[in-house]
Amino acid sequence: MTARTLIWTPVPTAKLQIRLHEEGEGPAVLVPVGSGTVLLPAPEARFPRAVALARTCLRIGERALAVRWDDHAVTAHPIYDKALYGWAWGAHRDVLTLLRATNPSGPAARLLLRGMFLLHSDKRDQRSRHDAVAARFGETLDAADRAMVERVQDWPSGGPQALSALFSAAGRDDVAQVASLVDAGHADAWLAKLPSSASRKVVREAPLNTVLPVVPVTQGMAPS
């Protein structure tokens, strides 16, 4: 499976769609869920672009979480104004593979990325860090810290199951369902229709439903 990315925010979908269009943020598919909205950035977008989109969601709705995953690893990032916090699930080698696949390319970028990850990779099993990390997830997902601690401590397990477990532990089964359907390819046809590259001006001037379509992926629907 190629790497996937999604963003969750508690902002209602209709409000989010209009605000993102006004601010020229996109393109992305918007999936309404009971707890808010799931955004699926354009497949070509690197993860820093997804983080920028998540920060716009943060300004609109005060909370946002950006995740990426493949068959073997997951990273999840509670979004803040400037600092980027996160946690990784999966073996170190698998997480590095995911990071390489979703971050800007180039020798310098890859070297910096590897150095930053290796600097912190051996600290994932330090219990002194688990409470602090879990608190950030609890704050963002409005979840009990204890449930989040258990997920943080289960960092050796990666892939789609670890991602679903994170959202389910936070009481966000609706988001876990979207992630599962994205894995199964239910969103691929919609994502393929997004413009491959779009500036703020292009997003603002394009028809709303071409750059920020609202798609009921959870109903298993396909494009008409």
Side-chain angles (χ1 to χ4, degrees):
M1 180 182 70
T2 56
R4 307 279 196 171
T5 302
L6 70 76
I7 299 158
W8 171 82
T9 179
V11 182
T13 304
K15 175 183 177 181
L16 184 64
Q17 183 192 37
I18 293 171
R19 285 290 302 275
L20 290 175
H21 194 257
E22 290 173 348
E23 297 196 24
E25 283 290 356
V29 167
L30 279 64
V31 183
V33 292
S35 62
T37 306
V38 172
L39 293 87
L40 306 174
E44 296 81 5
R46 293 292 182 174
F47 194 67
R49 184 75 215 104
V51 170
L53 181 58
R55 286 204 167 110
T56 301
C57 295
L58 177 70
R59 292 197 301 272
I60 298 170
E62 299 181 353
R63 285 183 289 152
L65 180 78
V67 303
R68 55 187 158 180
W69 76 100
D70 60 17
D71 283 337
H72 306 290
V74 176
T75 75
H77 303 266
I79 300 300
Y80 294 84
D81 284 336
K82 296 180 179 179
L84 181 64
Y85 299 96
W87 196 252
W89 285 265
H92 297 166
R93 177 182 59 189
D94 294 331
V95 174
L96 279 172
T97 298
L98 175 62
L99 296 180
R100 292 192 192 102
T102 55
N103 278 281
S105 57
R110 286 196 299 269
L111 183 62
L112 178 62
L113 185 67
R114 182 178 179 84
M116 290 178 63
F117 178 69
L118 291 179
L119 179 65
H120 299 288
S121 64
D122 61 345
K123 295 182 180 179
R124 283 192 292 169
D125 59 355
Q126 291 183 2
R127 292 183 179 273
S128 61
R129 299 189 69 219
H130 293 170
D131 288 345
V133 173
R136 295 191 186 279
F137 281 110
E139 177 183 57
T140 298
L141 291 167
D142 193 24
D145 284 359
R146 177 45 50 188
M148 294 294 94
V149 166
E150 291 177 0
R151 298 315 315 150
V152 167
Q153 290 176 338
D154 195 30
W155 62 265
S157 301
Q161 290 184 338
L163 179 65
S164 292
L166 171 67
F167 285 118
S168 294
R172 307 291 178 193
D173 287 329
D174 49 2
V175 185
Q177 181 190 17
V178 172
S180 176
L181 290 169
V182 169
D183 276 338
H186 285 258
D188 287 354
W190 294 101
L191 290 168
K193 287 188 171 186
L194 294 177
S196 57
S197 61
S199 66
R200 290 180 182 272
K201 180 179 179 181
V202 168
V203 172
R204 277 195 293 263
E205 294 180 354
L208 190 68
N209 289 316
T210 63
V211 288
L212 293 163
V214 176
V215 178
V217 170
T218 52
Q219 298 176 24
M221 296 182 67
S224 58

